[in-house]
Amino acid sequence: MKFQLLAVLVPAVLGAAVPSADTSANLESRQTFGDFFNTWVCAYPTGGGNLSTLKKIQQGFNKVWGTPRLTLKANQCLAAECGGYYFSICNHSDASRTETANMRNVAAARDPKTGTMCVTTNQDNQNVMYYYGKGKFETAGGTIARKTC
């Protein structure tokens, strides 16, 4: 049940359509949904940076938003956009939520490979999601507070 919900929710939150053609890239992308809590799930398997890029963008996020755990309002996203990439945190619930301790660092240590429009979270705080990708961060619904790093 959760898998099916995530398979629909993640592309919708990312603003991406779920691919319908069974190309190898689309199959690879769909297979990653099962590991949503342990890795980045990317709408596109190529077109992004790499682990080094992710770490730099996460450091930029920390520089503009701070390193302590953040509390986000209901349906709020905080985004840092740096050098054509973004790292953001969103609370997709109807109540304020605080990040799980160290989860931002855990997310930044997960390798997105070359993927873009990626999302990850943890099982203990599923409403707080982390996003990484190339371009400008967008999400369906809620508010986005943006800072440039």
Side-chain angles (χ1 to χ4, degrees):
M1 180 73 169
K2 269 188 189 173
F3 172 83
Q4 292 172 336
L5 176 62
L6 290 174
V8 173
L9 173 67
V10 171
V13 170
L14 291 171
V18 176
S20 58
D22 283 333
T23 65
S24 61
N26 291 342
L27 289 173
E28 177 185 337
S29 182
R30 278 192 233 141
Q31 289 168 349
T32 63
F33 282 112
D35 204 20
F36 183 74
F37 300 113
N38 300 312
T39 191
W40 288 98
V41 175
C42 300
Y44 300 99
T46 61
N50 53 34
L51 182 58
S52 174
T53 304
L54 167 61
K55 287 182 178 185
K56 286 178 191 172
I57 303 308
Q58 188 253 1
Q59 288 171 356
F61 182 97
N62 288 345
K63 185 176 180 181
V64 298
W65 290 106
T67 54
R69 293 189 319 161
L70 296 168
T71 298
L72 294 93
K73 297 176 187 172
N75 298 303
Q76 179 187 30
C77 296
L78 303 177
E81 296 170 346
C82 320
Y85 290 87
Y86 61 83
F87 184 89
S88 63
I89 301 172
C90 293
N91 172 17
H92 296 292
S93 77
D94 293 331
S96 293
R97 302 263 187 225
T98 300
E99 287 183 276
T100 300
N102 202 42
M103 186 58 202
R104 199 180 322 159
N105 293 327
V106 169
R110 294 175 177 172
D111 190 353
K113 300 187 178 29
T114 60
T116 190
M117 292 180 70
C118 304
V119 62
T120 193
T121 191
N122 92 26
Q123 272 180 299
D124 298 329
N125 200 357
Q126 297 175 24
N127 290 309
V128 177
M129 297 183 177
Y130 298 81
Y131 296 89
Y132 160 77
K134 188 171 185 173
K136 182 177 179 180
F137 176 71
E138 298 293 342
T139 187
T143 61
I144 303 171
R146 300 175 195 278
K147 291 187 178 181
T148 303
C149 45

PDB file of all heavy atoms in Angstrom, residues 121-138:
ATOM      1  N   THR A 121      13.520  10.492   2.116  1.00  0.00           N
ATOM      2  CA  THR A 121      12.972  10.787   3.448  1.00  0.00           C
ATOM      3  C   THR A 121      13.418   9.686   4.389  1.00  0.00           C
ATOM      4  O   THR A 121      14.240   8.850   4.026  1.00  0.00           O
ATOM      5  CB  THR A 121      11.428  10.902   3.400  1.00  0.00           C
ATOM      6  OG1 THR A 121      10.962  11.428   4.642  1.00  0.00           O
ATOM      7  CG2 THR A 121      10.758   9.584   3.110  1.00  0.00           C
ATOM      8  N   ASN A 122      12.884   9.685   5.610  1.00  0.00           N
ATOM      9  CA  ASN A 122      13.160   8.565   6.501  1.00  0.00           C
ATOM     10  C   ASN A 122      11.845   8.044   7.073  1.00  0.00           C
ATOM     11  O   ASN A 122      10.866   8.772   7.142  1.00  0.00           O
ATOM     12  CB  ASN A 122      14.218   8.928   7.557  1.00  0.00           C
ATOM     13  CG  ASN A 122      13.696   9.449   8.861  1.00  0.00           C
ATOM     14  OD1 ASN A 122      12.589   9.181   9.277  1.00  0.00           O
ATOM     15  ND2 ASN A 122      14.531  10.209   9.547  1.00  0.00           N
ATOM     16  N   GLN A 123      11.840   6.786   7.466  1.00  0.00           N
ATOM     17  CA  GLN A 123      10.598   6.151   7.905  1.00  0.00           C
ATOM     18  C   GLN A 123      10.008   6.772   9.163  1.00  0.00           C
ATOM     19  O   GLN A 123       8.808   6.716   9.358  1.00  0.00           O
ATOM     20  CB  GLN A 123      10.829   4.659   8.128  1.00  0.00           C
ATOM     21  CG  GLN A 123      10.628   3.867   6.860  1.00  0.00           C
ATOM     22  CD  GLN A 123      10.843   2.394   7.074  1.00  0.00           C
ATOM     23  OE1 GLN A 123      11.925   1.986   7.454  1.00  0.00           O
ATOM     24  NE2 GLN A 123       9.822   1.606   6.811  1.00  0.00           N
ATOM     25  N   ASP A 124      10.824   7.362  10.003  1.00  0.00           N
ATOM     26  CA  ASP A 124      10.332   7.908  11.260  1.00  0.00           C
ATOM     27  C   ASP A 124       9.643   9.265  11.110  1.00  0.00           C
ATOM     28  O   ASP A 124       8.956   9.703  12.023  1.00  0.00           O
ATOM     29  CB  ASP A 124      11.478   8.042  12.270  1.00  0.00           C
ATOM     30  CG  ASP A 124      12.103   6.698  12.599  1.00  0.00           C
ATOM     31  OD1 ASP A 124      11.383   5.683  12.559  1.00  0.00           O
ATOM     32  OD2 ASP A 124      13.309   6.667  12.881  1.00  0.00           O
ATOM     33  N   ASN A 125       9.866   9.939   9.993  1.00  0.00           N
ATOM     34  CA  ASN A 125       9.327  11.283   9.798  1.00  0.00           C
ATOM     35  C   ASN A 125       9.007  11.457   8.319  1.00  0.00           C
ATOM     36  O   ASN A 125       9.576  12.297   7.638  1.00  0.00           O
ATOM     37  CB  ASN A 125      10.349  12.321  10.283  1.00  0.00           C
ATOM     38  CG  ASN A 125       9.733  13.665  10.565  1.00  0.00           C
ATOM     39  OD1 ASN A 125       8.545  13.878  10.361  1.00  0.00           O
ATOM     40  ND2 ASN A 125      10.549  14.596  11.023  1.00  0.00           N
ATOM     41  N   GLN A 126       8.077  10.649   7.821  1.00  0.00           N
ATOM     42  CA  GLN A 126       7.814  10.548   6.390  1.00  0.00           C
ATOM     43  C   GLN A 126       7.264  11.817   5.759  1.00  0.00           C
ATOM     44  O   GLN A 126       7.359  11.990   4.557  1.00  0.00           O
ATOM     45  CB  GLN A 126       6.846   9.396   6.120  1.00  0.00           C
ATOM     46  CG  GLN A 126       7.404   8.058   6.510  1.00  0.00           C
ATOM     47  CD  GLN A 126       6.396   6.942   6.360  1.00  0.00           C
ATOM     48  OE1 GLN A 126       5.455   7.047   5.587  1.00  0.00           O
ATOM     49  NE2 GLN A 126       6.599   5.869   7.093  1.00  0.00           N
ATOM     50  N   ASN A 127       6.702  12.712   6.547  1.00  0.00           N
ATOM     51  CA  ASN A 127       6.147  13.939   5.985  1.00  0.00           C
ATOM     52  C   ASN A 127       7.218  14.960   5.631  1.00  0.00           C
ATOM     53  O   ASN A 127       6.968  15.879   4.862  1.00  0.00           O
ATOM     54  CB  ASN A 127       5.153  14.570   6.962  1.00  0.00           C
ATOM     55  CG  ASN A 127       3.900  13.747   7.087  1.00  0.00           C
ATOM     56  OD1 ASN A 127       3.288  13.396   6.092  1.00  0.00           O
ATOM     57  ND2 ASN A 127       3.530  13.416   8.312  1.00  0.00           N
ATOM     58  N   VAL A 128       8.402  14.829   6.218  1.00  0.00           N
ATOM     59  CA  VAL A 128       9.499  15.743   5.915  1.00  0.00           C
ATOM     60  C   VAL A 128      10.365  15.089   4.849  1.00  0.00           C
ATOM     61  O   VAL A 128      10.976  14.048   5.077  1.00  0.00           O
ATOM     62  CB  VAL A 128      10.327  16.084   7.173  1.00  0.00           C
ATOM     63  CG1 VAL A 128      11.506  16.970   6.818  1.00  0.00           C
ATOM     64  CG2 VAL A 128       9.441  16.766   8.209  1.00  0.00           C
ATOM     65  N   MET A 129      10.375  15.695   3.663  1.00  0.00           N
ATOM     66  CA  MET A 129      11.091  15.131   2.520  1.00  0.00           C
ATOM     67  C   MET A 129      12.184  16.074   2.058  1.00  0.00           C
ATOM     68  O   MET A 129      12.058  17.290   2.166  1.00  0.00           O
ATOM     69  CB  MET A 129      10.123  14.845   1.382  1.00  0.00           C
ATOM     70  CG  MET A 129       9.085  13.828   1.720  1.00  0.00           C
ATOM     71  SD  MET A 129       8.040  13.483   0.295  1.00  0.00           S
ATOM     72  CE  MET A 129       7.004  12.217   0.970  1.00  0.00           C
ATOM     73  N   TYR A 130      13.233  15.483   1.524  1.00  0.00           N
ATOM     74  CA  TYR A 130      14.395  16.216   1.025  1.00  0.00           C
ATOM     75  C   TYR A 130      14.430  16.068  -0.485  1.00  0.00           C
ATOM     76  O   TYR A 130      14.204  14.982  -1.011  1.00  0.00           O
ATOM     77  CB  TYR A 130      15.678  15.648   1.659  1.00  0.00           C
ATOM     78  CG  TYR A 130      15.678  15.801   3.154  1.00  0.00           C
ATOM     79  CD1 TYR A 130      14.988  14.916   3.969  1.00  0.00           C
ATOM     80  CD2 TYR A 130      16.324  16.881   3.746  1.00  0.00           C
ATOM     81  CE1 TYR A 130      14.952  15.082   5.345  1.00  0.00           C
ATOM     82  CE2 TYR A 130      16.288  17.049   5.127  1.00  0.00           C
ATOM     83  CZ  TYR A 130      15.601  16.146   5.910  1.00  0.00           C
ATOM     84  OH  TYR A 130      15.560  16.323   7.264  1.00  0.00           O
ATOM     85  N   TYR A 131      14.727  17.159  -1.167  1.00  0.00           N
ATOM     86  CA  TYR A 131      14.746  17.173  -2.631  1.00  0.00           C
ATOM     87  C   TYR A 131      16.082  17.699  -3.135  1.00  0.00           C
ATOM     88  O   TYR A 131      16.677  18.590  -2.526  1.00  0.00           O
ATOM     89  CB  TYR A 131      13.631  18.078  -3.169  1.00  0.00           C
ATOM     90  CG  TYR A 131      12.253  17.581  -2.818  1.00  0.00           C
ATOM     91  CD1 TYR A 131      11.634  17.958  -1.630  1.00  0.00           C
ATOM     92  CD2 TYR A 131      11.568  16.719  -3.662  1.00  0.00           C
ATOM     93  CE1 TYR A 131      10.378  17.500  -1.294  1.00  0.00           C
ATOM     94  CE2 TYR A 131      10.309  16.255  -3.340  1.00  0.00           C
ATOM     95  CZ  TYR A 131       9.718  16.645  -2.158  1.00  0.00           C
ATOM     96  OH  TYR A 131       8.482  16.181  -1.829  1.00  0.00           O
ATOM     97  N   TYR A 132      16.503  17.152  -4.261  1.00  0.00           N
ATOM     98  CA  TYR A 132      17.758  17.566  -4.891  1.00  0.00           C
ATOM     99  C   TYR A 132      17.578  17.461  -6.391  1.00  0.00           C
ATOM    100  O   TYR A 132      16.923  16.535  -6.891  1.00  0.00           O
ATOM    101  CB  TYR A 132      18.898  16.648  -4.441  1.00  0.00           C
ATOM    102  CG  TYR A 132      20.097  16.683  -5.372  1.00  0.00           C
ATOM    103  CD1 TYR A 132      20.986  17.753  -5.340  1.00  0.00           C
ATOM    104  CD2 TYR A 132      20.313  15.667  -6.290  1.00  0.00           C
ATOM    105  CE1 TYR A 132      22.066  17.800  -6.204  1.00  0.00           C
ATOM    106  CE2 TYR A 132      21.390  15.712  -7.150  1.00  0.00           C
ATOM    107  CZ  TYR A 132      22.260  16.772  -7.110  1.00  0.00           C
ATOM    108  OH  TYR A 132      23.317  16.826  -7.968  1.00  0.00           O
ATOM    109  N   GLY A 133      18.168  18.394  -7.121  1.00  0.00           N
ATOM    110  CA  GLY A 133      18.120  18.290  -8.571  1.00  0.00           C
ATOM    111  C   GLY A 133      18.737  19.491  -9.254  1.00  0.00           C
ATOM    112  O   GLY A 133      19.278  20.396  -8.616  1.00  0.00           O
ATOM    113  N   LYS A 134      18.631  19.455 -10.552  1.00  0.00           N
ATOM    114  CA  LYS A 134      19.160  20.521 -11.388  1.00  0.00           C
ATOM    115  C   LYS A 134      18.013  21.430 -11.803  1.00  0.00           C
ATOM    116  O   LYS A 134      16.931  20.953 -12.117  1.00  0.00           O
ATOM    117  CB  LYS A 134      19.837  19.915 -12.623  1.00  0.00           C
ATOM    118  CG  LYS A 134      20.577  20.919 -13.452  1.00  0.00           C
ATOM    119  CD  LYS A 134      21.398  20.241 -14.522  1.00  0.00           C
ATOM    120  CE  LYS A 134      22.216  21.292 -15.247  1.00  0.00           C
ATOM    121  NZ  LYS A 134      23.145  20.691 -16.185  1.00  0.00           N
ATOM    122  N   GLY A 135      18.266  22.731 -11.791  1.00  0.00           N
ATOM    123  CA  GLY A 135      17.243  23.687 -12.197  1.00  0.00           C
ATOM    124  C   GLY A 135      16.654  24.410 -11.005  1.00  0.00           C
ATOM    125  O   GLY A 135      17.295  24.558  -9.971  1.00  0.00           O
ATOM    126  N   LYS A 136      15.411  24.830 -11.141  1.00  0.00           N
ATOM    127  CA  LYS A 136      14.709  25.567 -10.090  1.00  0.00           C
ATOM    128  C   LYS A 136      13.752  24.610  -9.388  1.00  0.00           C
ATOM    129  O   LYS A 136      12.998  23.882 -10.034  1.00  0.00           O
ATOM    130  CB  LYS A 136      13.927  26.731 -10.713  1.00  0.00           C
ATOM    131  CG  LYS A 136      13.212  27.593  -9.714  1.00  0.00           C
ATOM    132  CD  LYS A 136      12.517  28.752 -10.411  1.00  0.00           C
ATOM    133  CE  LYS A 136      11.776  29.595  -9.380  1.00  0.00           C
ATOM    134  NZ  LYS A 136      11.089  30.729 -10.027  1.00  0.00           N
ATOM    135  N   PHE A 137      13.771  24.614  -8.054  1.00  0.00           N
ATOM    136  CA  PHE A 137      12.897  23.728  -7.299  1.00  0.00           C
ATOM    137  C   PHE A 137      11.444  24.159  -7.415  1.00  0.00           C
ATOM    138  O   PHE A 137      11.117  25.330  -7.252  1.00  0.00           O
ATOM    139  CB  PHE A 137      13.298  23.694  -5.819  1.00  0.00           C
ATOM    140  CG  PHE A 137      12.366  22.867  -4.982  1.00  0.00           C
ATOM    141  CD1 PHE A 137      12.366  21.489  -5.119  1.00  0.00           C
ATOM    142  CD2 PHE A 137      11.477  23.452  -4.111  1.00  0.00           C
ATOM    143  CE1 PHE A 137      11.490  20.708  -4.370  1.00  0.00           C
ATOM    144  CE2 PHE A 137      10.612  22.687  -3.358  1.00  0.00           C
ATOM    145  CZ  PHE A 137      10.621  21.310  -3.488  1.00  0.00           C
ATOM    146  N   GLU A 138      10.579  23.199  -7.711  1.00  0.00           N
ATOM    147  CA  GLU A 138       9.130  23.433  -7.761  1.00  0.00           C
ATOM    148  C   GLU A 138       8.452  22.277  -7.054  1.00  0.00           C
ATOM    149  O   GLU A 138       8.957  21.161  -7.044  1.00  0.00           O
ATOM    150  CB  GLU A 138       8.633  23.493  -9.218  1.00  0.00           C
ATOM    151  CG  GLU A 138       9.220  24.613 -10.037  1.00  0.00           C
ATOM    152  CD  GLU A 138       8.796  26.002  -9.578  1.00  0.00           C
ATOM    153  OE1 GLU A 138       7.798  26.124  -8.847  1.00  0.00           O
ATOM    154  OE2 GLU A 138       9.472  26.970  -9.939  1.00  0.00           O
TER     155      GLU A 138
END
